[in-house]
Amino acid sequence: MTSIIRPRLFITFQMSSQFIRSLKRVFDLDYQDIPACLSHEQILSRIRANPPNAILFPATAKIDKEVISAGGDKLKMLAAFSVGYNHIDIKECKKRSISIGYTPGVLTDTTADSAITLLLATSRRIAEAMRTVRNGEWGTSSDMMWMCGKPLINSTIGIVGLGRIGLAIARRLQPFSIQRILYSGTCEKYFDSDNDKKLFKFVQFEELLHESDFVIIACALNEKTTNMFNKKAFEQMKNDAILINIARGGIVDQDALYDALKNGQIRAAGLDVTVPEPLPTDHPLLTLENCTIFPHIGSADEYARHQMAQICVDNLLNFFSGKPMVHQLQIDKL
Amino acid sequence: MTSIIRPRLLINNQIPSQFIRALEPVFDLDYQDIATPVSQEQILSRIRAQPPDAMLLFGKILIDKELLSIAGDKLKMVATTSVGYDHIDVKECQNRGISIGYAPGVIADVVADLAVTLLLVTSKRINEAMRAVRNGEWGTSSDIGWMCGKPLANSTIGIVGLGHIGLAIARRLQPFSIQRILYCGKHEKQFDSENDKKLFQFVQFEELLRLSDFVIIACALNDETRNMFNRKAFEQMKNDAILVNIARGGIIDQDALYDALKNGQIQAAGLDVTVPEPLPTDHPLLTLDNCIIVPHIGGGDLSVRYQMIQISVDNLLNFFSGKPMVHQVNLDNA
């Protein structure tokens, strides 16, 4: 009698039961329905105990050489619950012919929404404003300048990385009467409309830093972009510029950022991503009024998360039935 | 020898010296160059002591029957530096032949920016998110639903009052993949483009409440709109609706709002305006996680504030030299 061995899937985080049910039909699951986060050590020991054929994991799980080797030959596929893949050792996957699924596209809108939220919350000083309501400061000053923010009208926006998310951010800023959008990256984009040709300008990174009132980081984290926002970068930025990072914490040198904010080298920063995540509660950046930090909620809406989960499920089901994934990372091109 | 009696102008707030220099040649000034707000009582005593011919108004001073009778026959003109004039008893001014200058047309963009800010920070639960960064909650949950907000994509926006500010808000929301914009008010607007005709729909207030995912109050406060958002209104709204108010606190019955938020009748509210202002620090609304309150910062832009004061100064100078004001409240329509 032939026994059919079902593939084993290790899921490192908590998912809605409907997705678990879909996966259970095809996979033997190594899954715990609890919200607690698994540490790197815990992930390693679970893999060693029950070597999986596939792992389903969010951006907070580091899938490094150690994790991949622990999986041995059995590990055939990684299903990333994210569009970023800086947490995956791509080289090691190439060596071992491990396929990687991920979730681009479906989180573009919501992440762009979060970027705008962060930009507006930072430039309008929402954290400070909310505090003055609670502590009684509201009403004690008739100073014209009280709680004034940095206006978007007539400003120059600089977007580092005009990919799907960068472009979605640009589109959301257009009705705010901005003057123009500079962008930097690996290649110039082609725009059809005359409006766009006038609005967007491809520039070198240094020019973007020099000219922008709002600098928005929307590129991937890789060897070229690690610590791209260092001391030298902050020196080149305008003193009243606002920096927004919704990409990856590792693109910003946080010590240099702290100094730049403390010394007024830039006006303010809004971060949805940090190093590490979560940021320790005693981190110096948390002592600064002009630094707004969100707990990596870029894609945090139910609709986007649901779609991301569905793509992960489809990527897995497709791969293990010999069909093409919905979204597969082209690691040969990386 | 004829002595020329210059008109007396009472200014109730500290203003930049350039404006004092513009007014000094024409007016005898009753002005205190200090940064503390003046109370209603203090204004009444100043009026008793030196009845003014005109007033240059900032903030919350009420031009009510009491003040107007104390001011007597001398008072000919009131120049408010705001666009709203709900703090002025317009009928009583009309009876007494007092002209009112105000400052429309300048503030729409910066208020619309704040409306969108408030909508986004409320729907994305930014107060809870920032708290989770500071108190160590960030990182304790692997649930993909953690800190999820309400998405804008495919939503129905409901704008109560599609004036300058309401329309500016609508334009800013268009790129967020919203489905449609319902609006209510005194009359339907005429739109030229096909896109706009499809996007905007003029409806009755009740229909807007019933169908909107995001309800934004952008109308004036008057006898018709006072407490418009009462128990009955909240009953008609969707359970997962978000309410944003950047107009005037008096449009909402705050007790009814508290109950609606507490009982899950609506999902959350973001308020830039309250009754009173400032809101007492022990107000029940401040105990709710799903209520975000900012201290009336809609106009919080230095350049906009300067422009509105300039308009008010011009209103005063024009009126007292027999010329038409730049912007005068039409007492018959008000």
Side-chain angles (χ1 to χ4, degrees):
Chain A
M1 176 174 101
T2 345
S3 66
I4 296 160
I5 299 170
R6 287 151 36 103
R8 174 171 295 280
L9 170 63
F10 174 31
I11 305 175
T12 72
F13 61 117
Q14 188 178 35
M15 293 188 90
S16 324
S17 49
Q18 69 179 93
F19 299 112
I20 299 298
R21 279 195 300 274
S22 304
L23 293 166
K24 261 205 171 116
R25 289 194 204 111
V26 171
F27 295 93
D28 276 341
L29 293 186
D30 182 355
Y31 172 71
Q32 291 171 356
D33 192 19
I34 49 173
C37 290
L38 290 179
S39 69
H40 197 243
E41 279 316 307
Q42 287 169 315
I43 289 177
L44 280 170
S45 43
R46 295 266 290 269
I47 291 174
R48 288 186 190 114
N50 278 306
N53 301 102
I55 308 175
L56 170 53
F57 56 96
T60 46
K62 199 165 190 294
I63 307 299
D64 55 14
K65 194 166 168 184
E66 198 179 9
V67 167
I68 296 169
S69 336
D73 288 337
K74 282 199 92 187
L75 186 60
K76 294 276 172 275
M77 184 198 166
L78 295 172
F81 182 82
S82 59
V83 61
Y85 44 85
N86 54 291
H87 53 302
I88 303 172
D89 189 333
I90 303 293
K91 270 206 176 66
E92 196 63 22
C93 291
K94 270 196 210 178
K95 249 175 57 192
R96 294 165 174 270
S97 301
I98 294 173
S99 304
I100 306 173
Y102 71 140
T103 66
V106 292
L107 46 59
T108 302
D109 276 347
T110 195
T111 306
D113 292 359
S114 295
I116 302 298
T117 307
L118 189 50
L119 186 152
L120 290 171
T122 304
S123 64
R124 295 303 285 261
R125 303 162 63 185
I126 293 304
E128 285 178 81
M130 291 195 302
R131 199 167 50 239
T132 66
V133 175
R134 288 174 180 284
N135 68 10
E137 195 191 318
W138 182 13
T140 59
S141 171
S142 65
D143 180 0
M144 207 101 298
M145 287 190 57
W146 192 74
M147 274 313 140
C148 272
K150 182 179 171 65
L152 268 165
I153 192 169
N154 292 327
S155 65
T156 294
I157 309 291
I159 301 180
V160 179
L162 201 70
R164 289 178 205 92
I165 294 174
L167 189 58
I169 293 170
R171 293 301 181 209
R172 279 153 177 72
L173 288 173
Q174 280 179 254
F176 285 83
S177 307
I178 56 173
Q179 198 183 90
R180 54 181 181 154
I181 299 175
L182 308 177
Y183 69 101
S184 65
T186 41
C187 46
E188 185 162 3
K189 308 276 176 220
Y190 180 73
F191 289 103
D192 288 323
S193 84
D194 281 333
N195 257 4
D196 281 347
K197 289 197 220 283
K198 268 186 253 156
L199 179 68
F200 290 93
K201 187 174 176 214
F202 182 61
V203 296
Q204 291 307 299
F205 180 53
E206 290 71 25
E207 184 176 349
L208 185 149
L209 294 177
H210 196 252
E211 302 281 314
S212 300
D213 300 301
F214 295 87
V215 176
I216 305 170
I217 307 172
C219 57
L221 171 63
N222 51 42
E223 278 148 16
K224 285 191 229 126
T225 63
T226 299
N227 281 329
M228 187 181 185
F229 277 82
N230 53 18
K231 201 151 177 265
K232 183 152 164 266
F234 293 123
E235 276 163 19
Q236 294 174 76
M237 285 174 69
K238 289 182 162 187
N239 282 1
D240 62 350
I242 294 195
L243 176 70
I244 300 297
N245 189 6
I246 50 88
R248 284 294 183 265
I251 299 170
V252 173
D253 172 345
Q254 284 178 179
D255 293 335
L257 175 63
Y258 176 84
D259 290 339
L261 288 169
K262 190 103 180 133
N263 302 329
Q265 217 170 21
I266 67 172
R267 181 165 171 157
L271 313 175
D272 188 40
V273 286
T274 57
V275 180
E277 285 179 21
L279 196 65
T281 55
D282 60 354
H283 196 281
L285 283 174
L286 286 169
T287 64
L288 300 173
E289 286 273 42
N290 56 347
C291 191
T292 295
I293 302 181
F294 293 171
H296 201 155
I297 52 170
S299 66
D301 78 54
E302 277 150 22
Y303 182 62
R305 291 279 163 88
H306 184 103
Q307 291 190 289
M308 287 166 74
Q310 189 60 62
I311 288 178
C312 286
V313 167
D314 293 340
N315 281 345
L316 284 158
L317 295 177
N318 284 13
F319 180 80
F320 282 93
S321 58
K323 297 205 280 277
M325 289 194 216
V326 180
H327 290 292
Q328 179 163 3
L329 197 57
Q330 299 301 308
I331 56 180
D332 301 317
K333 303 220 174 93
L334 295 174
Chain B
M1 178 173 104
T2 346
S3 66
I4 296 160
I5 299 172
R6 283 138 45 94
R8 173 170 300 282
L9 172 64
L10 168 60
I11 306 174
N12 78 311
N13 204 83
Q14 188 180 40
I15 56 176
S17 51
Q18 68 190 75
F19 300 112
I20 297 297
R21 283 195 297 276
L23 294 164
E24 252 169 357
V26 174
F27 296 94
D28 276 341
L29 296 183
D30 180 351
Y31 170 68
Q32 291 170 1
D33 194 11
I34 49 175
T36 9
V38 182
S39 72
Q40 187 82 10
E41 277 317 306
Q42 287 168 316
I43 288 295
L44 293 179
S45 8
R46 277 166 70 180
I47 292 174
R48 275 187 203 102
Q50 311 230 54
D53 297 273
M55 294 179 64
L56 176 54
L57 281 182
F58 295 78
K60 295 270 136 241
I61 296 301
L62 291 175
I63 307 301
D64 56 10
K65 283 196 176 63
E66 186 187 16
L67 185 149
L68 290 168
S69 45
I70 293 170
D73 288 337
K74 263 202 112 199
L75 187 62
K76 293 277 168 284
M77 185 203 167
V78 163
T80 182
T81 53
S82 57
V83 59
Y85 45 83
D86 48 280
H87 54 301
I88 302 175
D89 187 339
V90 172
K91 275 248 150 13
E92 191 65 16
C93 286
Q94 191 171 26
N95 293 345
R96 292 167 173 272
I98 296 171
S99 303
I100 305 172
Y102 72 137
V106 184
I107 208 174
D109 281 338
V110 74
V111 173
D113 290 1
L114 197 271
V116 175
T117 306
L118 209 40
L119 184 153
L120 288 170
V121 302
T122 304
S123 62
K124 286 181 177 283
R125 304 162 60 189
I126 288 322
N127 53 334
E128 294 176 72
M130 293 195 294
R131 190 169 63 226
V133 175
R134 290 175 179 282
N135 68 8
E137 192 194 321
W138 181 14
T140 59
S141 172
S142 74
D143 177 8
I144 60 171
W146 187 75
M147 218 37 89
C148 270
K150 184 184 169 67
L152 266 168
N154 297 321
S155 65
T156 294
I157 309 291
I159 301 179
V160 179
L162 203 71
H164 281 140
I165 294 174
L167 189 57
I169 296 170
R171 293 300 180 210
R172 280 152 177 72
L173 291 175
Q174 278 180 253
F176 286 83
S177 305
I178 57 172
Q179 197 184 89
R180 56 178 178 162
I181 299 175
L182 309 177
Y183 68 101
C184 66
K186 289 204 272 256
H187 26 249
E188 187 161 2
K189 309 274 177 226
Q190 161 76 5
F191 288 104
D192 289 322
S193 83
E194 283 313 304
N195 255 5
D196 281 345
K197 290 199 221 279
K198 269 187 251 155
L199 179 68
F200 291 94
Q201 193 188 340
F202 181 63
V203 296
Q204 291 306 299
F205 181 53
E206 290 72 24
E207 186 173 355
L208 185 150
L209 293 176
R210 238 178 356 99
L211 296 178
S212 301
D213 299 298
F214 297 87
V215 177
I216 306 168
I217 305 173
C219 59
L221 171 62
N222 52 43
D223 291 331
E224 275 144 22
T225 63
R226 197 171 307 275
N227 284 327
M228 187 180 183
F229 277 81
N230 54 18
R231 238 158 259 291
K232 181 150 165 269
F234 293 122
E235 274 163 24
Q236 294 173 76
M237 285 174 70
K238 289 182 160 189
N239 283 0
D240 60 351
I242 306 244
L243 176 68
V244 174
N245 189 8
I246 49 82
R248 285 291 183 265
I251 299 170
I252 294 180
D253 171 347
Q254 285 178 179
D255 294 335
L257 175 64
Y258 176 84
D259 289 340
L261 289 168
K262 188 100 180 142
N263 302 328
Q265 219 169 19
I266 65 172
Q267 182 158 304
L271 312 176
D272 185 39
V273 286
T274 57
V275 179
E277 285 179 20
L279 195 66
T281 55
D282 60 354
H283 196 282
L285 283 173
L286 288 169
T287 64
L288 301 173
D289 262 350
N290 57 347
C291 189
I292 291 189
I293 303 181
V294 292
H296 202 154
I297 52 172
D301 175 277
L302 204 55
S303 142
V304 167
R305 291 207 172 138
Y306 269 58
Q307 285 175 71
M308 290 171 85
I309 300 173
Q310 185 63 62
I311 288 172
S312 302
V313 166
D314 292 340
N315 281 343
L316 283 159
L317 294 174
N318 283 14
F319 180 81
F320 282 92
S321 60
K323 297 206 279 280
M325 289 195 217
V326 182
H327 291 291
Q328 180 165 0
V329 174
N330 187 334
L331 297 178
D332 299 318
N333 287 350

